[in-house]
Amino acid sequence: MSVLVYTELADGQFKKSSLEAIFYGSKVAAQVGGSMTVLAIGSASDDELAKAGNFGASKVLHANAQNLASENIMAYSKVLSETAKSLSAKVVISAKSSLADAVMARAAGALKAGLVGNVVELPNTTIGFKVKRSIFTGKAFAETSITSDIKFIAIKKNVLPLEETTNSATVEKLSVDTGSLTESSKVLETIKATGAVSLPEADLVVSGGRGMKGPENWQPLLDLAEALGAATACSKPVSDLDWRPHHEHVGQTGVKVAPNLYIACGISGAIQHLAGVNSSKVIVVINKDPEAPFFKAADYGIVGDVFDVLPKLTAAVKAL
Amino acid sequence: MKILVCISSVPDTTSKISFEENDTKFSKGGIQYIIGPYDDYALARGVELRETLGGTLTVLNVGLADAEPQIRKALAIGADDAVRIDAEPTDSFFVASEIANYAKDKGFDLILMGRETTDYNSGVVHGIVGELLGIPSFSPVMELKLEGNTATLAREIEGGKEKLEANLPLVLGCQEPIAEWKIPNMRGIMSARTKPLAVIAPSSDALTSIDKYELPAPKGACKMISAEDAGSLIKLLQTEAKVL
């Protein structure tokens, strides 16, 4: 049973979530007694791509045509579905991201494959093919059987602890005719924060709410994030007020994160916010209101003024 | 302009989730259902476009009869007519096939829906619909403008956004701030009662099925640290929680 892992590159490197998908894919391949192939689309060096071997891959197919240089849902999905066809892949795996959702969806559509997202464990393949996935935005799980011949699964962040070896993978160039739909749209402009830690990928997140009192007060939070090497996030009111950009908004209608550590500063913890962060391993809440509902969902809490607490945390991180 | 907006009917975000029949079935008792929050954004933008450009706006739901209050609400907000595919929306591919089967010969210029539903969160129905209809799909879309046959849209990417131009027809998975949620007015609510709502039998099969549900383990107590001694938290995160 052949396994294909769809990966994403950022600045010429595998995203960490994609390395997790490769490692997960290698475990699935071992479980079902098949081989695993990694598909990488976009620009990266062979040396970087060979690193897929560190996480269990023996072969990487690299599609790097001109029209694949920037994110293109129609082209990427065509490359994925054609590759899955030519390899007769029975299981197609990706890490969940908003681009991967869109790409996996079209490829699953083309292959008439059942698709399950937010998978949190290795599949159970003793009878049929069952996966456990997170549903209701982290409030429950569902054991789901995929009954189609080809199975698509998208895994959540931090599903398996990564184990790294020194093995290396062979890299082969791949060329796919991506068809006419690829030409149907044109990118006009890409606006992207540079140098910042990617929020959906981050292991550590420092997040601010209305308790930060205004966009001019963000510096102590940014200082802590920088000291930790963490991504910054915010609550919905903060992004609605334009204190912070929308792509930092974490919650029910924003980004869902699953870091190892989520530090909430001046966020009361409305249920809509918790929906975006409840997959975090450890939650720290700093709030001057001891009755803030967020403390009920937290592992560690500090009742106090964020502007007093944040510099102390930053100093303690720097002293590590 | 011919617009189709697909809506889900989902438990309100504040709902307490529980299961019955030996954890094989979602307990619907006491649950307040709403239009999917992301679908509500898609609907709001669809209504705005329909108001400025004319044409028709059809709202579609794959769901059982208990979704009809949400469909009527969409009609009250401004949809002209509604279709309900009479089936439990248990599987992404199934829901997408139903939407595509309905839409394929009707010449919709735009098919809008939320980026994901807030019950099963897969976020893939728009893409599958686009593929099945052989037209482009984009998600998550946070801005949408139309000029003639050309759409200008902004898609959220990690750490920013990408503006692009594409020709209709399109399938779009929407999110804020594409439009503000709309609240129906009294006139809308009255007129919604008599707007057509067709019920159609499903025509495809699901490719996945849920065997069992499970609730997460209860969260342990929160360990409080005094504000004066805030720095000691960092040591705990390193040595006790082992996340640094």
Side-chain angles (χ1 to χ4, degrees), chain B residues 1-5 41-58 77-80 109-113 141 143-148 150-153 168 170 172 174 178-180 182:
Chain B
M1 186 61 46
K2 214 172 154 186
I3 303 172
L4 179 68
V5 177
Y41 289 117
L43 176 66
R45 189 66 189 126
V47 168
E48 288 170 2
L49 292 170
R50 148 88 176 72
E51 278 167 3
T52 44
L53 302 171
T56 58
L57 192 160
T58 301
I77 286 171
D80 298 296
D109 299 296
L110 263 183
I111 300 178
L112 306 179
M113 64 189 80
V141 175
E143 288 168 34
L144 169 63
K145 292 191 187 96
L146 289 181
E147 209 176 309
T150 307
T152 311
L153 48 100
L168 303 180
L170 295 172
L172 305 179
C174 304
I178 194 164
E180 298 265 346
K182 294 194 187 312

Side-chain angles (χ1 to χ4, degrees), chain A residues 119-197:
Chain A
V119 170
V120 296
E121 282 176 4
L122 283 168
N124 179 343
T125 50
T126 43
I127 309 167
F129 194 98
K130 294 172 197 266
V131 285
K132 183 173 168 181
R133 64 168 155 159
S134 163
I135 57 170
F136 291 108
T137 327
K139 286 201 275 187
F141 300 101
E143 189 184 80
T144 306
S145 287
I146 310 180
T147 49
S148 52
D149 181 38
I150 303 171
K151 296 142 179 67
F152 272 53
I153 53 181
I155 61 168
K156 271 189 97 149
K157 193 174 148 54
N158 273 335
V159 165
L160 294 177
L162 273 182
E163 291 163 29
E164 197 167 348
T165 68
T166 52
N167 297 343
S168 159
T170 59
V171 180
E172 281 176 29
K173 289 271 171 272
L174 175 72
S175 160
V176 174
D177 177 5
T178 50
S180 57
L181 273 191
T182 307
E183 313 305 328
S184 59
S185 63
K186 185 169 84 190
V187 174
L188 303 173
E189 191 186 4
T190 304
I191 304 154
K192 200 168 178 174
T194 50
V197 180

Side-chain angles (χ1 to χ4, degrees), chain B residues 192-210:
Chain B
R193 290 181 189 168
T194 52
K195 286 179 179 174
L197 193 173
V199 178
I200 298 175
S203 52
S204 46
D205 296 313
L207 303 181
T208 65
S209 62
I210 292 176

Side-chain angles (χ1 to χ4, degrees), chain A residues 226-282:
Chain A
E226 199 191 340
L228 285 167
T232 52
C234 68
S235 66
K236 178 167 161 62
V238 164
S239 100
D240 285 351
L241 290 163
D242 266 336
W243 292 0
R244 301 294 298 171
H246 183 270
H247 65 255
E248 282 197 4
H249 158 205
V250 161
Q252 170 83 65
T253 55
V255 179
K256 277 100 182 162
V257 295
N260 291 328
L261 174 63
Y262 184 82
I263 302 180
C265 311
I267 303 176
S268 64
I271 199 148
Q272 288 81 357
H273 185 75
L274 297 184
V277 306
N278 55 15
S279 299
S280 308
K281 244 184 220 162
V282 172

Side-chain angles (χ1 to χ4, degrees), chain A residues 10-259:
Chain A
D11 304 321
Q13 293 187 315
F14 281 117
K15 286 166 61 174
K16 183 171 178 236
S17 57
S18 285
L19 295 176
E20 291 180 358
I22 293 168
F23 183 63
Y24 181 95
S26 72
K27 297 279 173 198
V28 175
Q31 201 176 311
V32 299
S35 63
M36 175 184 70
T37 307
V38 169
L39 172 63
I41 305 177
S43 169
S45 69
D46 282 1
D47 282 351
E48 170 63 23
L49 295 168
K51 280 186 196 155
N54 300 3
F55 301 95
S58 51
K59 190 162 101 180
V60 178
L61 296 175
H62 184 207
N64 193 20
Q66 183 109 48
N67 66 346
L68 303 173
S70 70
E71 294 183 3
N72 185 321
I73 293 166
M74 271 51 74
Y76 284 23
S77 61
K78 187 82 174 169
V79 172
L80 176 58
S81 62
E82 290 300 319
T83 307
K85 260 189 236 171
S86 69
L87 296 171
S88 302
K90 294 294 177 206
V91 185
V92 177
I93 296 166
S94 83
K96 193 175 164 72
S97 78
S98 52
L99 177 65
D101 282 350
V103 171
M104 290 279 280
R106 291 195 71 104
L111 300 170
K112 306 271 178 287
L115 190 163
V116 174
N118 291 308
V119 170
V120 296
E121 282 176 4
L122 283 168
N124 179 343
T125 50
T126 43
I127 309 167
F129 194 98
K130 294 172 197 266
V131 285
K132 183 173 168 181
R133 64 168 155 159
S134 163
I135 57 170
F136 291 108
T137 327
K139 286 201 275 187
F141 300 101
E143 189 184 80
T144 306
S145 287
I146 310 180
T147 49
S148 52
D149 181 38
I150 303 171
K151 296 142 179 67
F152 272 53
I153 53 181
I155 61 168
K156 271 189 97 149
K157 193 174 148 54
N158 273 335
V159 165
L160 294 177
L162 273 182
E163 291 163 29
E164 197 167 348
T165 68
T166 52
N167 297 343
S168 159
T170 59
V171 180
E172 281 176 29
K173 289 271 171 272
L174 175 72
S175 160
V176 174
D177 177 5
T178 50
S180 57
L181 273 191
T182 307
E183 313 305 328
S184 59
S185 63
K186 185 169 84 190
V187 174
L188 303 173
E189 191 186 4
T190 304
I191 304 154
K192 200 168 178 174
T194 50
V197 180
S198 158
L199 177 58
E201 292 280 303
D203 286 326
L204 309 171
V205 175
V206 184
S207 187
R210 253 183 308 197
M212 296 297 292
K213 296 198 179 89
E216 68 280 8
N217 298 331
W218 237 257
Q219 199 54 48
L221 189 155
L222 299 177
D223 290 342
L224 176 61
E226 199 191 340
L228 285 167
T232 52
C234 68
S235 66
K236 178 167 161 62
V238 164
S239 100
D240 285 351
L241 290 163
D242 266 336
W243 292 0
R244 301 294 298 171
H246 183 270
H247 65 255
E248 282 197 4
H249 158 205
V250 161
Q252 170 83 65
T253 55
V255 179
K256 277 100 182 162
V257 295

